[in-house]
């Protein structure tokens, strides 16, 4: 650790508070403010825009340069050369697997894809029109009721078993939510199919006929899983870490992450982008949409634009846009939504408002168009995001437990009433 110091002097006090400054491998240095409490101070940082909640080795984002690294590997290279299970292995273990490690990891995932038959009863308890994210949230948490043999978070073997179960079963649970929402029978996973193909088979296969997965769609699906796999301390990952710091079981922690991801400012944005493009309706309406997005009095925002960290292109959006073109061309599909999206991007990126505020397309801007093109229904978009992010959530959960983190418990600036006595009802 470097011996660099930050020195804090506060009006009205003669004391100069010395704080350690720490450097990471790359990225901004951090000022360790933990001693402040003993000096009678807290820091205040709503939204955690300037707060590092932990030390991590998993993912690094350079928002200014539009760089995203998973264990040091650029997302562009992983999206092009790797597959989702290999990226999951990398996130969880810190290194790319060799041939045997990859074969063993994949085989383990493929042999745990089924869920307990009683899990189907959970889905039968949901209304036919329940949002698939509501179902996923509920069922992932409920899984803990089936696995009493692996809930000891202090047992590395239990942690590993649960990790493999969650990575294996998320596609099954996701597809079950879809099948429930369309009133079709559940398709059991097939262990002879790769991860993405198996998911698509469970989504679109049915017991009455053979279903052949389109390899172009399967590859696009796998790439979408990769692009959503992890992203530093985003809201849902921070939720998983905070839940995990209480000692909650991993199924409960991942369910908490699913819930946090659902919001339209986070993982729900991919669904919101399509609603926005539908509302814009035609390329000719794009200018007025940009005007509305800039109007502080109008709550309308360009969904899929902007990011807390990226102040340049989200590298995932670039890969997603390329994949969009590939998939639409391969399927011979033309989608007017894509024309609207491209026009929106072109106009927004030339507009001073978006340039000044450094608002660029994020991962959600194009993902929805690909998902539409391959036939994924709108209400399943965020479920797909959750499916891909499961590997990242689990990697951070492991890392947090490995740090023997204390329970996460932020403090506050209290601006409510000072102490006062109770007033009897007849005197109010
Ligand atoms: C994801 O954290 C992650 O890493 C998330 C994620 C991941 O992989 O985990 O990358 C996934 O969540 C991507 C983001 C998806 N959300 C959206 O696309 C929703 C639309 N975007 C915004 O709501 C917003 O940009 C956020 C939520 C993404 C970021 O919000 P911030 O960092 O709190 O920024 P802000 O809301 O304070 O905006 C800064 C300024 C504001 O104007 P001023 O108050 O300074 O005048 O930019 C404006 C905002 O009004 N602004 C937008 C805008 N986003 C921000 N104006 C118009 N359209 C937008 N989309």
């Amino acid at each position: 650790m470097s011996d660099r110091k930050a020195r804090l002097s506060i009006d009205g006090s003669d004391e100069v508070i010395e704080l350690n400054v720490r450097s990471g491998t790359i990225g901004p240095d951090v000022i360790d403010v933990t001693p402040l409490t003993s000096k009678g101070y807290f820091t205040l940082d709503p939204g955690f825009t300037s707060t590092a909640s932990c030390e991590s080795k998993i993912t690094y984002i350079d928002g200014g340069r539009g760089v995203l690294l998973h264990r040091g590997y650029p997302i562009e290279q992983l999206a092009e050369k790797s597959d989702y299970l290999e990226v999951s292995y990398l996130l969880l273990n810190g290194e790319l697997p060799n041939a045997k490690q990859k074969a063993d990891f994949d085989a383990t995932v493929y042999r745990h894809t089924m869920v307990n038959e009683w899990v189907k009863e959970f889905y039968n308890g949901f209304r036919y029109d329940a949002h698939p994210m509501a179902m996923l949230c509920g069922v992932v948490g409920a899984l803990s009721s089936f696995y009493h043999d692996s809930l000891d978070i202090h047992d590395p073997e239990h942690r590993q078993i649960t990790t493999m179960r969650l990575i294996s079963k998320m596609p099954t649970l996701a597809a079950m939510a879809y099948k429930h929402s369309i009133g079709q029978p559940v398709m059991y996973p097939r262990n002879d199919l790769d991860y993405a193909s198996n998911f698509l088979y469970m989504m679109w296969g049915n017991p009455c006929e053979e279903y052949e997965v389109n390899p172009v769609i399967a590859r696009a699906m796998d790439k979408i899983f990769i692009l959503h796999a992890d992203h530093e301390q985003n809201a849902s990952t921070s939720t998983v870490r905070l839940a995990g710091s209480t000692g909650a079981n991993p199924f409960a922690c991942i369910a908490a992450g699913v819930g946090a991801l659902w919001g339209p400012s986070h993982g729900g944005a991919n669904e919101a982008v399509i609603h926005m493009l539908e509302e814009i309706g035609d390329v000719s309406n794009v200018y007025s949409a940009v005007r509305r997005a800039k109007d502080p009095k109008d709550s309308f925002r360009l969904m899929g634009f902007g990011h807390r960290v990226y102040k340049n292109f989200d590298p995932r959006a670039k890969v997603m846009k390329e994949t969009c073109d590939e998939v639409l061309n391969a399927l011979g599909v033309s989608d007017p939504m894509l024309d609207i999206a491209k026009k929106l991007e072109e106009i927004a990126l030339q507009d001073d408002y978006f340039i000044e505020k450094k608002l660029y397309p994020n991962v959600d801007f194009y993902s929805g168009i690909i998902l539409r093109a391959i036939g994924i229904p709108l209400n399943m978009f965020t479920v797909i995001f959750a499916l891909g992010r499961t590997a990242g959530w689990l990697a951070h959960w492991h890392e947090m437990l490995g740090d023997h983190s204390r329970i996460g418990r932020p403090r506050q600036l209290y601006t409510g009433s000072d102490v006062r006595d109770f007033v009897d009802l007849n005197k109010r």
Side-chain angles (χ1 to χ4, degrees), residues 47 49 61 68 227-237 261 263-270 272-273 276 290 292-296 298-311 314 316 353-354 357-365 385 389 393:
T49 49
I61 301 170
L68 170 57
L227 294 173
H228 288 87
D230 190 50
H231 213 239
E232 277 193 11
Q233 307 307 323
N234 58 84
S236 55
T237 299
L261 185 76
S265 289
H266 190 14
N270 51 18
V273 165
M276 173 189 73
V290 171
R292 283 189 60 200
K294 292 157 55 177
D295 179 356
D298 191 329
S299 62
F300 178 81
R301 281 196 162 182
L302 290 189
M303 300 314 280
F305 262 79
H307 198 278
R308 172 61 57 76
V309 177
Y310 288 121
K311 301 307 171 189
D314 180 335
R316 301 167 298 174
Y353 174 93
F354 289 86
K357 294 182 187 297
K358 298 184 168 46
L359 301 173
Y360 290 83
N362 59 48
V363 67
D364 295 303
F365 190 61
F385 195 144
R389 186 53 55 92
W393 286 334

